[in-house]
Amino acid sequence: DLLATALLLATAFELDIPLDMLIFISAALFLKAVVFLFDIGSAIDIGVVVLLILSIFINIPQLIFFIAALLIGVKGIMSLFAK
């Protein structure tokens, strides 16, 4: 989740991200989301994956990236402190 947050922020700031890294992390996040399919966190994960993949092909406003980074970043931090 925290890697996806970093990718979203890097994409929002228009930094050069290697395409294979973007696809690999998106695929890993998607696989994690499929394992816990009926969880609200999985819906966020799938939304972020769709956003990252779409960012390869179209320009998406920065605000959307920041909102998605906030959602998945908070989810990732909460996962670190969960028992």
Side-chain angles (χ1 to χ4, degrees):
D1 290 342
L2 297 178
L3 281 175
T5 301
L7 276 177
L8 285 168
L9 290 175
T11 305
F13 289 118
E14 298 177 358
L15 300 175
D16 286 333
I17 304 167
L19 185 61
D20 54 349
M21 182 172 73
L22 183 73
I23 292 172
F24 178 77
I25 292 176
S26 295
L29 190 62
F30 180 76
L31 289 175
K32 184 182 75 118
V34 169
V35 170
F36 304 106
L37 191 58
F38 298 106
D39 184 22
I40 188 68
S42 294
I44 295 171
D45 289 343
I46 290 174
V48 167
V49 167
V50 168
L51 185 63
L52 286 171
I53 297 300
L54 282 177
S55 72
I56 296 171
F57 303 107
I58 61 173
N59 288 332
I60 299 173
Q62 280 184 330
L63 182 63
I64 294 174
F65 286 116
F66 287 128
I67 292 170
L70 178 70
L71 287 174
I72 200 160
V74 168
K75 181 178 159 290
I77 291 171
M78 287 173 44
S79 296
L80 284 176
F81 295 112
K83 287 187 176 183

